[in-house]
Structures are given as structure tokens and as C-alpha cells.
Amino acid sequence: MRAVPRHVACVMDGNGRWAQRRSLPRTAGHRAAETTVIDIIEAARAAGVEWLSLYAFSTENWNRPGAEVDYLMRLVRRVVRKHAPLLLARGIRCRFLGVADPRIPRELARDFDDLAALTADNRGMTLTVAFDHGGRRDIVEAARSLIRSRTPADEVTERLFADHLPFPDTPDVDLVIRTSGEQRISNFMLWQVAYAEWVFPEVLWPDFRAPEFLACLRTYRRRDRRFGGVPPLTDGDPS
Ligand code: IPE
Ligand code: IPE
Ligand code: MG
């Protein structure tokens, strides 16, 4: 097993509670999340993580009040534009996973496309921002794509199925970090997390920083990943 997980995925949770604890509007928590996002991108890159995925907005998040959704759309646009030069300079390749709903402002979708094009040749780390993402939707879309390709049912394998998911070059997730103490998947990269290790730090996302991220990587290193096998060295017998 690699000492550093190749693919780390974060469910950035707890912004609203961070704000509520300070008697601030929930949007203040989202604004405070920006610093964490940049910190974690830098920390992951420096630690040798090759793939970092951040869950920024789920297909279910459309159920939030309109004002909060609008705020998030504006905030994400500002963050994407502001940090594009830094991401380019750091050699980070950026991608946006999801982004299918017509309610997404056209200018935001364009900024996503621009940043992806700007950084497409970077080879440092691949940053996937899951925005208007739903794991189930991706699986349904893959099934539709397979059916359209007229692949005979008997020829459908897990590998072939995965080739029809968006960004099929994405490796399986090794480590999922969900902040704020919540312990659920919330429809995040369902296919790719099939054998991921999970950690659930109590800290709220706006307070999550490089030291807490590195602690998660250390926790991962102590895990025994068996993939259905038996512990190494013992062949399964008590030693
Ligand atoms: C995560 O923080 C950010 C998004 C889902 C966009 P929340 O807004 O879910 O924060 P809590 O869970 O209400 O504290
Ligand atoms: C998951 O967080 C989605 C993102 C972090 C973008 P939520 O806060 O929306 O998830 P639930 O509603 O608690 O499951
Ligand atoms: Mg939440």
C-alpha cells in the first residue's frame, strides 16, 4: 500500500454550523470555507497526493433556500476566478464534476470551462471539484451511455461500465475525509469510493487546516487495507 493516498476526496461539511456558533448567517460559514479550500489544496499537493476531489455542491443542495444557493453560486465564481493564477502556477489540473443543472448561472459554467482549459496541461495534481454532483446521477448517466453504445449485456464488465462514467481516468478514491463529525456518504462519488478508507474529523470545514489534513493522512497510513483478502504476512493465521 502507498504511504500517501493517491486519491483523497473531501466532503467539505460544517460551514453552516461554524457560522451558527458565531451567531452569523450561514453564508458567513461558506465564505470562511475559502481559506480552508486553498490550504487543503496546497497541503495535499505538498504531501504528494496526486488526485484531490472536493465536494462543493450536491444535487440535493438545490433543496436549500434560494438565497443560500445564490450566494454559493456567486462565491464559487469569485473563488474560481480569484485563484486561477495560483492553481495554474502550482501545476494543478482542475476539473468540474457534475455541472449539469440549467439553474447553474451560465457565467459560472463558463468560468469552470475556462479554468479547466487553462490548467488542462498541468501535471502536478488533479483537482476535481464536484459541483452539482450526485453519485447516483453519474451511475444512471453511465448506464444510459452504455445502452446508447449498444454494448451487448454479456460484455458489460465493471471496467467497461466505469469507462462510461464522467472522467473515467479518475482512480478509485483511497481516502474520504468528511469534516464536522457527520458520518454519511451523501451521494458522493458512489462508484469511486467503493473501497475507500473513511475518516470523520469532528472539526468543522472552515476550521480544517493543513495540520488536521496531515493527521488524516497519518490515520490512513495506519489502516490495514485488505480488499477482501487477509492481513499481509500472516496468511490469515494468528501469528
Ligand atoms: C457544507 O457545509 C457546504 C455545502 C454543502 C455547500 P453545510 O452548509 O452543509 O454546513 P452544515 O452541515 O449546515 O453545518
Ligand atoms: C454534502 O453535505 C454535500 C457537500 C458537502 C457539498 P450536506 O451538508 O449537504 O449533506 P447532508 O444533507 O448533511 O447529508
Ligand atoms: Mg452539511
Side-chain angles (χ1 to χ4, degrees), residues 90-162:
R90 293 284 190 269
I92 295 167
R93 177 170 63 154
C94 302
R95 297 166 156 189
F96 296 87
L97 173 66
V99 201
D101 196 289
R103 286 169 288 185
I104 295 171
R106 211 174 322 189
E107 319 81 69
L108 177 59
R110 208 178 307 127
D111 287 339
F112 287 164
D113 288 343
D114 288 349
L115 182 58
L118 180 74
T119 62
D121 294 331
N122 281 348
R123 290 290 170 265
M125 178 177 82
T126 301
L127 171 68
T128 303
V129 177
F131 190 90
D132 177 38
H133 161 76
R136 282 187 172 175
R137 179 169 70 192
D138 285 356
I139 290 170
V140 169
E141 284 300 327
R144 286 181 174 163
S145 163
L146 257 173
I147 291 164
R148 278 195 293 266
S149 73
R150 300 185 190 282
T151 306
D154 292 345
E155 288 176 21
V156 177
T157 60
E158 290 185 11
R159 183 62 256 165
L160 184 73
F161 190 92

Side-chain angles (χ1 to χ4, degrees), residues 180-219:
S180 85
E182 304 294 348
Q183 302 191 356
R184 56 180 168 270
I185 198 163
S186 300
N187 203 14
F188 184 39
M189 295 182 101
L190 294 181
W191 181 277
Q192 296 87 346
V193 301
Y195 243 106
E197 298 293 325
W198 291 75
V199 295
F200 301 104
E202 289 292 327
V203 56
L204 305 174
W205 180 258
D207 290 329
F208 192 63
R209 286 289 179 277
E212 287 82 18
F213 180 79
L214 295 175
C216 294
L217 297 192
R218 283 196 297 276
T219 302

